[in-house]
Amino acid sequence: MSLFQYDFMLRALAGALIIGLAAPALGIYLVQRRLSLIGDGIGHVALTGVGVGLLLQQSPVLTAVIVAVLGAVGVELVRERGRTSGDLALALLFYGGIAGGVVLVGLSDDSANANLMQYLFGSLITTTRQDLIVIAILGAAVLAAMLALRPALFAVCNDEEYARVSGLPVRTLNLVIAATTAVTVTIAMRTVGLLLVSALMVVPVAAAQQITRGFRTTMALAMGIGVTAAATGVWAAGEIDTAPGATIVILAIAAFLAITVGSATWRVLRRHIPAERHAEHAEPPDVVLQEAGAR
């Protein structure tokens, strides 16, 4: 008997597919910008939004989106204008966000039934039809923004000063990245969980970078890895009764390890192939990714 005969499994699968596409598409910019862990901080802020939703008896997804976007924009403005360092701003997000969420959930009338674990690590049975509509609309918006603004966002993430000299609206583009990060984190909390979605932004990108050089090909491969890990993770979580977020992340990390080992093996074998044979098939990158450690 197939698990996908149940409506809740179909809703969880649809949500996971959307997140599997949107998270790596955004994550490649965060990796280029050395902000791989910002999703964790915003996830903590989103927990405060969940608490607000339960306290006001509104949709936790919608209130989490609003609170997380406000938090992400605030941190971006503090990073740009204030004397506070980026690390300190992220620390304020981590501790203030999760503390506010726990306090507000405790004050809500639904505190006895509220299970924070399902928001932190995902759950297969909590994605409602209303949640899925919100996830589809916002996920499509994030994906469209990441693809349509690809050249400008790449320029800002790779060299902010050069982008500013070139006339790009750097502040606006930074705010777009901050807002879309907040949206991606919050729409993923039903399936992947607030504390694990950051891994789905980063790990597929890291895996793709093992075998690609161009920005466009890396983004496409990362999205493929993300959507495969998300779909397989939902199916595996239903079969073996585990948390979907943790299962998805473990599969993504397994893909990273497999690609890394396969890539290393191929490089060893390639040394024994005459240079003229593989030079014929060399493909120039569209935009060369920044080398690790270089700035």
Side-chain angles (χ1 to χ4, degrees):
M1 183 179 294
S2 173
L3 286 171
F4 294 106
Q5 66 177 313
Y6 301 109
D7 288 343
F8 73 88
M9 283 297 297
L10 291 175
R11 289 195 294 270
L13 178 63
L17 292 175
I18 295 169
I19 301 304
L21 283 173
L26 167 67
I28 192 169
Y29 299 108
L30 300 180
V31 171
Q32 281 294 103
R33 206 178 172 192
R34 304 290 198 272
L35 288 176
S36 299
L37 296 179
I38 193 172
D40 281 336
I42 294 177
H44 286 66
V45 172
L47 190 62
T48 296
V50 172
V52 171
L54 295 176
L55 189 64
L56 301 178
Q57 297 183 340
Q58 302 295 323
S59 169
V61 174
L62 284 176
T63 53
V65 168
I66 295 171
V67 173
V69 169
L70 292 175
V73 171
V75 168
E76 178 59 32
L77 293 178
V78 167
R79 186 191 68 84
E80 177 186 328
R81 297 182 178 180
R83 297 180 180 178
T84 306
S85 68
D87 288 344
L88 182 55
L90 284 176
L92 293 174
L93 273 178
F94 269 67
Y95 304 127
I98 198 166
V102 172
V103 169
L104 291 175
V105 170
L107 292 175
S108 68
D109 294 335
D110 200 28
S111 60
N113 297 322
N115 184 358
L116 288 180
M117 296 292 286
Q118 68 188 24
Y119 294 104
L120 295 177
F121 302 107
S123 173
L124 291 174
I125 62 174
T126 55
T127 304
T128 65
R129 188 180 300 274
Q130 180 186 7
D131 290 338
L132 187 57
I133 293 173
V134 174
I135 291 171
I137 294 173
L138 295 180
V142 170
L143 197 56
M146 294 303 101
L147 296 177
L149 300 175
R150 182 174 63 90
L153 291 177
F154 175 85
V156 170
C157 294
N158 195 51
D159 191 334
E160 190 170 302
E161 292 301 323
Y162 179 79
R164 184 173 285 108
V165 172
S166 301
L168 290 173
V170 173
R171 178 181 299 169
T172 301
L173 292 170
N174 282 335
L175 291 177
V176 167
I177 293 175
T180 51
T181 302
V183 169
T184 304
V185 168
T186 46
I187 63 176
M189 70 180 180
R190 287 298 199 190
T191 302
V192 185
L194 293 171
L195 295 186
L196 294 175
V197 63
S198 185
L200 198 55
M201 294 180 182
V202 174
V203 176
V205 176
Q209 284 181 328
Q210 302 300 312
I211 55 177
T212 60
R213 289 190 62 205
F215 190 82
R216 182 169 51 192
T217 52
T218 302
M219 174 185 277
L221 181 57
M223 292 167 65
I225 295 171
V227 75
T228 302
T232 309
V234 167
W235 171 79
E239 288 286 346
I240 60 178
D241 192 22
T242 56
T247 309
I248 290 170
V249 171
I250 287 175
L251 290 173
I253 293 175
F256 168 78
L257 294 175
I259 292 174
T260 300
V261 171
S263 176
T265 304
W266 168 245
R267 284 196 293 270
V268 171
L269 294 175
R270 195 179 183 188
R271 293 173 187 167
H272 302 286
I273 300 176
E276 60 271 15
R277 290 183 58 185
H278 55 75
E280 296 175 357
H281 303 288
E283 180 181 356
D286 53 328
V287 180
V288 177
L289 288 169
Q290 188 176 31
E291 296 292 339
R295 193 69 181 166

